[in-house]
Amino acid sequence: MARKEPEPIRITTATRSHSDDIAGRQRRYVISMTIRTICFLLAVVSMGHWFMWVFLVASFVLPYVAVVIANAGVSPDPGGPDEVLPDFTTRSLEGPDHA
Protein backbone atom coordinates (compact mmCIF):
# COMPACT_ATOMS: atom_id res chain seq x y z
CA MET A 1 0.00 0.00 0.00
CA ALA A 2 1.45 3.37 -1.04
CA ARG A 3 1.77 6.06 1.59
CA LYS A 4 -0.20 9.19 0.91
CA GLU A 5 1.81 12.38 1.28
CA PRO A 6 0.11 15.09 3.37
CA GLU A 7 -0.94 18.17 1.42
CA PRO A 8 1.04 21.32 2.20
CA ILE A 9 -0.64 23.99 4.29
CA ARG A 10 -1.48 27.16 2.35
CA ILE A 11 -0.63 30.46 3.97
CA THR A 12 -3.16 32.82 2.44
CA THR A 13 -3.47 35.34 5.26
CA ALA A 14 -0.02 36.77 4.61
CA THR A 15 -0.11 40.52 4.04
CA ARG A 16 0.91 42.15 0.79
CA SER A 17 4.52 43.15 0.31
CA HIS A 18 5.56 46.61 1.45
CA SER A 19 6.14 47.86 -2.11
CA ASP A 20 2.71 46.58 -3.22
CA ASP A 21 1.11 48.28 -0.22
CA ILE A 22 2.83 51.60 -0.97
CA ALA A 23 1.87 51.38 -4.65
CA GLY A 24 -1.78 50.75 -3.73
CA ARG A 25 -1.83 53.67 -1.31
CA GLN A 26 -0.28 55.99 -3.90
CA ARG A 27 -2.76 54.87 -6.54
CA ARG A 28 -5.75 55.54 -4.22
CA TYR A 29 -4.33 58.96 -3.27
CA VAL A 30 -3.73 60.00 -6.89
CA ILE A 31 -7.26 58.91 -7.87
CA SER A 32 -8.75 60.91 -4.98
CA MET A 33 -6.70 64.00 -5.80
CA THR A 34 -7.67 63.74 -9.47
CA ILE A 35 -11.35 63.69 -8.48
CA ARG A 36 -10.71 66.66 -6.18
CA THR A 37 -9.08 68.64 -9.00
CA ILE A 38 -11.98 67.87 -11.33
CA CYS A 39 -14.47 68.99 -8.66
CA PHE A 40 -12.58 72.25 -8.16
CA LEU A 41 -12.46 72.92 -11.90
CA LEU A 42 -16.19 72.16 -12.20
CA ALA A 43 -16.86 74.59 -9.33
CA VAL A 44 -14.96 77.32 -11.18
CA VAL A 45 -16.74 76.58 -14.47
CA SER A 46 -20.19 76.51 -12.84
CA MET A 47 -19.91 79.89 -11.07
CA GLY A 48 -23.30 81.27 -10.16
CA HIS A 49 -25.15 77.92 -10.20
CA TRP A 50 -26.33 76.14 -7.06
CA PHE A 51 -24.27 73.00 -7.81
CA MET A 52 -21.09 75.08 -7.68
CA TRP A 53 -21.33 74.70 -3.90
CA VAL A 54 -21.51 70.92 -4.16
CA PHE A 55 -18.32 70.82 -6.23
CA LEU A 56 -16.62 73.34 -3.96
CA VAL A 57 -17.44 71.40 -0.78
CA ALA A 58 -16.32 68.16 -2.43
CA SER A 59 -13.01 69.77 -3.41
CA PHE A 60 -12.39 70.78 0.22
CA VAL A 61 -13.49 67.48 1.78
CA LEU A 62 -11.71 65.10 -0.62
CA PRO A 63 -8.13 65.87 0.56
CA TYR A 64 -9.03 64.74 4.08
CA VAL A 65 -10.74 61.62 2.75
CA ALA A 66 -7.79 60.90 0.44
CA VAL A 67 -5.28 61.06 3.29
CA VAL A 68 -7.39 58.87 5.56
CA ILE A 69 -7.85 56.28 2.80
CA ALA A 70 -4.16 56.40 1.81
CA ASN A 71 -3.05 55.91 5.43
CA ALA A 72 -5.39 53.00 6.05
CA GLY A 73 -3.59 50.02 7.52
CA VAL A 74 -2.29 47.08 5.59
CA SER A 75 -5.13 44.75 4.76
CA PRO A 76 -4.49 41.06 4.41
CA ASP A 77 -5.22 39.37 1.14
CA PRO A 78 -8.70 37.89 1.01
CA GLY A 79 -9.15 34.30 2.08
CA GLY A 80 -7.95 32.38 5.03
CA PRO A 81 -5.86 29.36 5.79
CA ASP A 82 -7.26 25.94 5.22
CA GLU A 83 -8.53 24.28 8.34
CA VAL A 84 -5.96 21.82 9.61
CA LEU A 85 -7.43 18.77 11.27
CA PRO A 86 -5.52 15.81 12.62
CA ASP A 87 -5.60 12.83 10.29
CA PHE A 88 -7.03 9.92 12.27
CA THR A 89 -7.26 7.67 9.22
CA THR A 90 -3.62 6.63 9.40
CA ARG A 91 -2.73 3.28 10.84
CA SER A 92 -2.33 3.20 14.54
CA LEU A 93 0.21 1.11 16.37
CA GLU A 94 -1.01 -2.39 16.80
CA GLY A 95 -0.29 -4.58 19.77
CA PRO A 96 1.32 -7.99 19.54
CA ASP A 97 -0.64 -10.71 17.76
CA HIS A 98 -2.38 -13.13 20.14
CA ALA A 99 -3.10 -15.85 17.68
Side-chain angles (χ1 to χ4, degrees):
M1 208 183 260
R3 292 180 63 177
K4 183 179 177 181
E5 293 291 323
E7 291 186 32
I9 299 172
R10 295 185 313 148
I11 303 174
T12 56
T13 57
T15 58
R16 293 179 180 93
S17 70
H18 184 65
S19 59
D20 287 344
D21 184 47
I22 296 289
R25 289 177 188 215
Q26 288 175 339
R27 186 173 34 256
R28 288 190 303 261
Y29 185 78
V30 167
I31 289 169
S32 298
M33 288 295 101
T34 302
I35 293 170
R36 182 235 182 173
T37 303
I38 291 170
C39 284
F40 184 77
L41 292 175
L42 288 172
V44 170
V45 170
S46 63
M47 286 276 211
H49 298 286
W50 65 269
F51 46 85
M52 170 195 73
W53 296 106
V54 174
F55 293 132
L56 199 59
V57 168
S59 69
F60 283 112
V61 171
L62 277 173
Y64 172 76
V65 172
V67 169
V68 169
I69 290 173
N71 288 331
V74 177
S75 60
D77 289 335
D82 290 337
E83 186 175 347
V84 179
L85 298 174
D87 186 13
F88 293 114
T89 60
T90 58
R91 291 185 340 168
S92 61
L93 295 175
E94 297 177 10
D97 287 336
H98 288 59

